[in-house]
Amino acid sequence: MNIAAPQTIYLSDYMAPGWLVESVHLTFKLVPESTRVISRIAFTPNPDAPPQPFMLHGEELKLISAAIDGVAVSPDLTATGLTCAVPDGAFIWEAEVEIAPAKNTALEGLYMSNGMYCTQCEAEGFRKITYYPDRPDVMGVFTVRIESDLPVLLSNGNPAAAGAGWAEWHDPWPKPAYLFALVAGDLVAHNDSFTTMEGRDVDLNIWVRAADLDKCAFGMGALKRSMVWDEQVYGRAYDLDVFNIVAVDDFNMGAMENKGLNIFNSSAVLAKQSTSTDADFQRIEAIIAHEYFHNWTGNRITCRDWFQLCLKEGLTVFRDQSFTGDLHGHAVKRIEDALVMRNRQFQEDAGPLAHPVRPESFVEINNFYTVTVYEKGAELVGMLKRLVGDDGYRAALDLYFTRHDGQAATIEDWLTAFTEATGRDLTQFKRWYAQAGTPRLTVTDDFKNGTYRLHIAQQTLATPGQPDKLPLHIPVAVGLLDITGAEVVPTTLLELTEAQQTFTFDGLASKPVPSILRNFSAPVIVERDVTQAEQAFLLTHDTDPFNRWDAGRSLGQAVLLDMIASGGDLDAAYIDGLRAALTDSTLDPAMRALLLAMPSEADLAIALAGQGQIPDPDAIHQTRRKAHRQLAMALANDIPPVLASVQIDAPFAPDADQGGRRALSNSLLALLIWSDNGNAAQAQFDSADNMTQQLAALSILLAHGAGDTAAQAFYDQWHHDRLVLNKWFAVQISAAQPQDAVAVATHLTQHPNFEWKNPNRFRSVIGALTGNQAGFHHADGAGYDFVADWLIKLDPVNPQTTARMVAGFDSMRRWDDARRAKMHSALTRIKDTPGLSRDTSEMVTRLLS
Ligand code: PHE
Ligand code: ZN
C-alpha cells in the first residue's frame, strides 16, 4: 500500500469551500461486512469562494457507482478522496459505496459494537462513510433512510416514516457532516418527556441494551436538569421533537453531540448506586449537560474549521462547569477545575506537546482534543466573563447567538460579539488564543504611610515553535486581610496588561496580607515569597474559599518538599492546620476532604521540576506515604468523632451533601488503616451498599497489601458488569506499590477479561499504569517497555486511542538522565514501528522533538 507522507494543515491556508450542500439524502443498507451507502447530494457553487477543482473527501470506501444529474461519471480516486469534472451551476451528485462496519476497529466512521451499528464522525470520520465535502463549514439538511432487520433504527432529527425493516429520519437544521449519526441495534429505551419554554413537547430517550435499563434514570434526570438550566441561564431552548441518547461500549472518547442523537461511551451515561461512584455520577451529569449544551454552542453555531475547535469546546466546557457549580456549589467545583488545570493542563503547557488554545497547524486533528483546547479554552471564556461582568457576558452571548445562528464561526466572530456588545477592546486579550504556555506572575509588595503596593510581573516561558512571548491581559482578583484576619479590601479585579505593573491601595492602617488570584481568576502560576506562617494564616482566615484551600495546598507542598529534602518528619504546624480544618464543623465535608488531601505525587514532581531540581519518583512516593502515616498517627483521636458526625442516615442519593460526607469519611478511612490493621476498611468493604464506599475500601486495602481477598470478592460480585470490571482492573494497578505495579499490570493483561480492543478496558490497565507515577517511572524502565509494547499492538487497531495514550510520556524532560534515556528509547521504538498511524506518529514526533 502506498501511504502518502503526512501533511501539515495550516490555519493560514483556509479557503472557503467551492460548493455548498443544499440537501443530502442517504440510504444505508446495513450488512456487517458489506454495507451499502447510497448518497444523493444537491450541490450549488459557492459565490464567495475562489476558483478550485471539485473535490470530495473519502477514505477506505469502495466506489460502486457515481453519477451527476443522472449521468454516470468516473471520478479520479485517490487515497483521501476524489475529483471530478462538474457542471457550471447547481447539480445533483449520486454515489453508491460499500463499507465494512464489522471490520472497523478504529471506531471512527460506521462501526459495530456488541452487535449494534453506530457512528462517530467528529472530526473527520464521515469521509469513511461516503464521499462528501467533510469540513465543518459545509452545512446541509440531511434525510436518512436506514434498512436493517434490527429493531431500533435511529438517525438525526425527527422520525419521518418507518416500516418493517426500514426507518427514515429528517433533520431540518443544516449541519456539518461531523454531526451526522446513525444507530441500529437491539435496544430498549428509558423514556421521558420535556416541554420547552417555547411550548415544544420533546420525547426523550436513553437507548441501551436490555440489561442496562436499570442504569438510565440518573442520566435522564441530568438531561432534564440541563434542558431547564440552558433555558433559564442562556435563554436557549431545544429545537427538535425528539432527543435521543445511545450508550455504546466501544467508544474512543466520552460522548458525542450529534444533532438530536447523542452517542455516549456507556461509562459516561450509565449509573446506579451499586455500580457507580459519586465521581461517576458527577462526571455523567456534567457530560450529559456538555453534550446537550452543544446543541447551541457547537451545532446551531458550529466551527468554520478545526482550528476553531475551542470555539465550541471551550465555551461548552465553561457552560457545563457553570451548570455543575450552580447545582452543587461553586467553591468545590472551582477547586476541582483548578486541579485539572494545574495537574494536567499546566503540565501539557510546560512540555513538548504545548500548543495554543487555537493551534495554527496540525497533522491529525484528533490529536488536538486536549486539555488545552477544552479546559484552558473554558478558562478563557471565564476570564472574558470576569472582564466584562455578568451583564456584559449575557449581552455578548445574546449577540453571538442571534448574529451567528446557522453559521460556521471563528474566534474572531466570537470576540467581535464581545467587543460590540460591551465596548471592551479585546485586542490584547486575543493573544490568549494564540500564545501557548502558562504565564508566571511574580508578586512582590511594600507598605508605607498607609499605602500598600502590589508589584506584579508576568512572564511566559518559550514553548515549541514560540520562543518569544508577549504580555497578556490577565484578570487578577485580589483581596486584602489585616493582621487579625479581617478583610480590609474585598475582592477587587486588577487588570494586568503590562510586563510589569504596580497596583496601589490607600488608606490602610497596617501592612495587609494579600490574597491573590482569588477563585483562580486566571490560568496562571503565582510566584511569591510567602512564609509558611502566612500560608497557615490564610488557611485559617481567607474569606475566599478557593484561596483558603489553595493556602493549605501550598503549605502542604512546601512541607512535603522540605521532608523530601531533609528526610525529616511532618511539620507540626501543618498538622495543626489540617486538624483545625478537619474539626471545623462550619466547613462542609466536601471542602474538608479537599483541604485534607495532600498534594499528589505528580504535583510534587512538577513542583520540584519547577524549582530546577530532578525529582525522584520513588522518594516522592515514600515520603508522601510517610507523611500520610504520620498525619494518621497525629490525628488518631480526632478522627472517630468526625467520622461519626458525617455518617448518613438518609437513603442513598448521589448529591453534593452525601458525596461530600462519603469523600471525607473515605479520606479518614485511608488514615485509619495505619493503626487498625485494615479492620475499618474491610468492614466498609463488606457492608457497602454503594460503589463509592466499596471501591474506596478496596483501594485502601490494596494500597496496604491487604486487599487480595477483597479484590477476589469484588471480581466474583461484579465480573458480569463491564463498567465495574474496568474499575477492578484499574484499582489494582493504581493502588500497587512502585516495585509491583508493572507486574500487576502484566498479570492483568493475561486475564481472560482483558479485552484490549475495548478502549475503556485498555485505558483501565495501560492508562492506570501511566497514572501510577512511581510505578510507571520505576527505575528499571519496565513500565516504559510495557506501555510501549501495548501501544505498538493497539496502533494498527485503534490509532486514535493509541495516540492519546502516548501522551503519558510527556513528562519525559522532568526526569533524570537514566529515565529519560529509557523513555526516549521506548518512544523511538514506537516511532520506528513500520506502518505507524498518522495519529501516533505525529504525537511521538512531537514528544521526541
Ligand atoms: N465533541 C465531543 C465532545 O466534546 C468529543 C469528541 C471528539 C468525541 C471527537 C468523539 C470524537 O463532547
Ligand atoms: Zn464538547
Side-chain angles (χ1 to χ4, degrees), residues 5 103 117 306 400 475 525 549 592 620 622 643 779 832 848:
K103 291 189 183 152
Y117 293 83
W306 291 117
Y400 175 70
I525 296 166
W549 164 81
R592 281 188 268 168
I620 291 175
Q622 301 308 342
L643 208 46
D832 292 343
L848 286 170

Side-chain angles (χ1 to χ4, degrees), residues 120-123 178 251-257 287 290-291 294 309 312-313 366 369 374 800:
Q120 173 51 46
C121 294
E122 187 178 6
Y178 83 86
F251 200 77
N252 285 329
M253 308 280 275
M256 180 62 212
E257 69 264 25
I287 297 182
H290 179 97
E291 306 311 332
H294 267 314
L309 184 57
K312 74 178 176 82
E313 296 304 348
N366 283 333
Y369 288 77
Y374 275 64
Q800 205 176 317

Side-chain angles (χ1 to χ4, degrees), residues 107 250-252 757-764 798 801:
L107 315 182
D250 299 279
F251 200 77
N252 285 329
K757 292 186 183 176
N758 175 260
N760 293 353
R761 191 60 51 82
F762 189 91
R763 271 192 289 268
S764 70
N798 187 331
T801 289

Side-chain angles (χ1 to χ4, degrees), residues 167-483:
E168 275 182 17
W169 290 79
H170 177 73
D171 182 359
W173 300 101
K175 66 169 174 292
Y178 83 86
L179 291 173
F180 167 80
L182 174 154
V183 168
D186 191 359
L187 300 171
V188 292
H190 177 106
N191 175 265
D192 208 325
S193 64
F194 183 85
T195 304
T196 70
M197 63 181 185
E198 293 164 353
R200 180 192 292 270
D201 290 320
V202 185
D203 188 28
L204 310 175
N205 298 294
I206 299 181
W207 296 94
V208 296
R209 290 185 284 152
D212 291 327
L213 201 52
D214 63 345
K215 290 184 177 179
C216 298
F218 177 79
M220 184 58 82
L223 174 59
K224 289 163 64 175
R225 290 191 285 280
S226 309
M227 296 178 88
V228 169
W229 187 89
D230 214 13
E231 292 186 349
Q232 290 180 347
V233 181
Y234 280 80
R236 300 290 127 196
Y238 188 61
D239 54 6
L240 290 166
D241 303 331
V242 21
F243 189 80
N244 285 315
I245 287 177
V246 182
V248 178
D249 282 325
D250 299 279
F251 200 77
N252 285 329
M253 308 280 275
M256 180 62 212
E257 69 264 25
N258 317 296
K259 183 82 188 188
L261 177 53
N262 288 3
I263 297 184
F264 274 63
N265 186 321
S266 53
S267 75
V269 53
L270 301 180
K272 66 176 179 186
Q273 174 181 345
S274 61
T275 62
S276 311
T277 62
D278 291 316
D280 292 331
F281 281 107
Q282 186 176 324
R283 171 171 174 268
I284 286 167
E285 182 178 66
I287 297 182
I288 288 179
H290 179 97
E291 306 311 332
Y292 175 73
F293 297 157
H294 267 314
N295 190 54
W296 274 93
T297 51
N299 301 2
R300 286 286 285 264
I301 304 180
T302 192
C303 302
R304 187 194 69 172
D305 55 71
W306 291 117
F307 296 101
Q308 322 293 330
L309 184 57
C310 65
L311 179 71
K312 74 178 176 82
E313 296 304 348
L315 175 54
T316 306
V317 171
F318 179 75
R319 275 152 51 71
D320 81 57
Q321 291 173 343
S322 314
F323 165 80
T324 301
D326 281 355
L327 265 61
H328 304 299
H330 286 281
V332 167
K333 177 63 176 160
R334 192 66 189 133
I335 293 170
E336 291 167 352
D337 293 340
L339 279 168
V340 171
M341 286 300 293
R342 285 177 170 162
N343 292 344
R344 296 181 43 217
Q345 200 282 324
F346 286 9
Q347 181 172 340
E348 183 163 274
D349 244 355
L353 301 178
H355 56 275
V357 170
R358 182 169 70 172
E360 258 133 50
S361 70
F362 60 74
V363 173
E364 171 53 64
I365 183 57
N366 283 333
N367 290 333
F368 286 84
Y369 288 77
T370 60
V371 64
T372 296
V373 170
Y374 275 64
E375 271 75 18
K376 188 175 179 182
E379 292 298 321
L380 304 199
V381 178
M383 283 192 288
L384 277 171
K385 186 172 182 201
R386 250 157 259 141
L387 288 171
V388 304
D390 291 354
D391 294 344
Y393 178 78
R394 180 64 199 258
L397 267 284
D398 285 347
L399 179 59
Y400 175 70
F401 285 124
T402 24
R403 181 178 287 173
H404 296 292
D405 188 11
Q407 293 179 5
T410 61
I411 289 300
E412 282 73 16
D413 295 329
W414 161 252
L415 290 176
T416 301
F418 273 80
T419 299
E420 290 187 12
T422 68
R424 290 279 328 224
D425 179 355
L426 296 169
T427 318
Q428 186 183 6
F429 186 84
K430 193 179 171 197
R431 289 180 188 158
W432 276 106
Y433 287 92
Q435 192 164 287
T438 307
R440 282 163 194 273
L441 307 191
T442 313
V443 182
T444 54
D445 59 356
D446 54 47
F447 179 73
K448 206 166 78 186
N449 299 334
T451 297
Y452 178 68
R453 295 193 306 166
L454 266 181
H455 313 284
I456 310 184
Q458 60 166 305
Q459 193 203 359
T460 304
L461 300 178
T463 55
Q466 291 189 335
D468 303 313
K469 307 286 183 176
L470 297 165
L472 297 170
H473 185 173
I474 306 176
V476 184
V478 171
L480 301 180
L481 307 181
D482 74 10
I483 201 106

